[in-house]
Amino acid sequence: MSPYRDRSLASLRARIRQLERDLAYWKDLAERKIPPTARPAQCKRPTVKQIETIVAGVCGIEDVTEFYGKRRTQPLAFARQLIMHFLSAYKFGPLRQIGEMLGGRKHGAVLEANKVVTACANQNCVQRDWYNACCDQLDALCSPVPRVNIPSGH
């Protein structure tokens, strides 16, 4: 036998032993019963519908379908920007896809929404209160929202 063949057989045997150990571990794990309280939370991120409902409730928008329309009244436009911000914060896809989900908007609209929400979160205004209320409700619903950093002194 060649030394190369001896090494390949030895590595194959070592791999088989490793697979047998892995199989034994998984069998042991499958036989244990995990109590429901020990399981991790099922919700890692909210759905688009949940984000829309929370933002609509906080901003006073009665019909969620308005987010997909052309109207640009100030409360509706900011609510739409909040949704875009949360969708990009929770990584719902590329900016182009997020814009298309909200009435066929372009990726630049999502970039602008992130800028506007960040600027409003740093000011003392009604929009900051809306942003914080949405973040609090989303935190209670699922994993924490990646929040905008507000500099100290504000």
Side-chain angles (χ1 to χ4, degrees):
M1 267 192 175
S2 70
Y4 176 74
R5 187 171 175 150
D6 289 340
R7 273 187 266 137
S8 64
L9 282 174
S11 71
L12 183 60
R13 287 184 186 121
R15 182 71 183 129
I16 290 172
R17 283 192 303 273
Q18 180 63 45
L19 288 171
E20 287 171 345
R21 283 192 299 267
D22 289 348
L23 182 62
Y25 169 78
W26 287 109
K27 280 184 179 178
D28 181 46
L29 192 63
E31 290 172 1
R32 295 183 199 164
K33 294 197 178 195
I34 302 171
T37 56
R39 292 188 183 135
Q42 296 297 323
C43 183
K44 299 262 190 257
R45 70 178 186 187
T47 64
V48 176
K49 258 313 184 213
Q50 289 171 326
I51 292 174
E52 288 173 350
T53 305
I54 288 171
V55 171
V58 168
C59 298
I61 309 296
E62 294 177 12
D63 188 13
V64 181
T65 59
E66 289 186 51
F67 293 133
Y68 304 102
K70 299 277 184 198
R71 289 185 53 213
R72 296 189 304 179
T73 60
Q74 203 260 339
L76 180 61
F78 187 74
R80 191 180 294 129
Q81 289 171 333
L82 273 175
I83 292 173
M84 289 181 197
H85 172 75
F86 289 129
L87 290 178
S88 62
Y90 277 114
K91 312 266 189 270
F92 269 89
L95 300 179
R96 178 181 51 80
Q97 183 181 354
I98 292 171
E100 288 173 2
M101 287 185 341
L102 285 167
R105 285 163 174 77
K106 300 196 186 276
H107 76 281
V110 181
L111 285 173
E112 184 64 23
N114 283 329
K115 278 190 217 173
V116 168
V117 170
T118 303
C120 285
N122 292 330
Q123 296 173 0
N124 202 3
C125 58
V126 167
Q127 285 88 355
R128 180 180 181 172
D129 297 337
W130 288 354
Y131 171 75
N132 287 330
C134 289
C135 285
D136 292 342
Q137 288 186 29
L138 287 169
D139 286 347
L141 184 67
C142 289
S143 63
V145 178
R147 292 195 184 224
V148 174
N149 291 332
I150 299 174
S152 59
H154 279 243

